[in-house]
Amino acid sequence: MYAVVVTFRIKSGHISAFLPEMMQNAATSLATEPGCHRFDVCTDEDRPEEVFLYELYEDRAAFQTHLNSRHFVDFDAKVQPMVATKDVRTYDQVPT
C-alpha cells in the first residue's frame, strides 16, 4: 500500500465552496480508480479552515494515475484559488 496524507489550509471564506469539490473528488477517485482503496476527507471544528486527507493507493503508480486523471486535474485547477497552503506527504507501507 501507498499512503498519501494532505493538509490544506483554505483561504478565509472559501471552505463552503471547497468542501463539496473535495468530497466529489474523493467520491470519483474511489468510484473510478481501481488502485484507490481509501479516500477520507477530515476536518476539525477547532481548525475550521483546515482540511486533512487520508488516501490509500495500491502503489505509487496508482497514485500517479490519480494525479493524472481528468477529474483530479479539473478539481485541482478549480480549487487552487481557494487554497492558502497544501502539504502533501507520502509513505510506503513497511513490509511485514
Side-chain angles (χ1 to χ4, degrees):
M1 283 297 161
Y2 189 68
V4 179
V5 294
V6 183
T7 303
F8 289 95
R9 193 172 60 75
I10 306 306
K11 293 177 182 175
S12 182
H14 288 88
I15 195 73
S16 62
F18 178 84
L19 279 176
E21 297 294 337
M22 183 75 258
M23 296 302 294
Q24 182 61 51
N25 178 55
T28 302
S29 297
L30 285 166
T32 65
E33 297 173 25
C36 180
H37 297 286
R38 184 168 200 100
F39 200 129
D40 297 331
V41 179
C42 308
T43 60
D44 185 314
E45 65 185 33
D46 292 335
R47 295 182 308 279
E49 294 175 342
E50 185 176 289
V51 178
F52 176 80
L53 308 181
Y54 178 73
E55 306 168 49
L56 283 179
Y57 294 89
E58 189 68 30
D59 51 27
R60 286 176 187 254
F63 180 55
Q64 192 60 51
T65 296
H66 167 71
L67 294 178
N68 293 331
S69 69
R70 171 58 41 203
H71 74 90
F72 175 79
V73 171
D74 291 346
F75 158 80
D76 196 45
K78 190 170 194 175
V79 301
Q80 184 180 21
M82 302 176 204
V83 175
T85 63
K86 178 181 176 182
D87 178 55
V88 180
R89 296 176 188 232
T90 59
Y91 302 89
D92 289 299
Q93 184 176 17
V94 176
T96 56

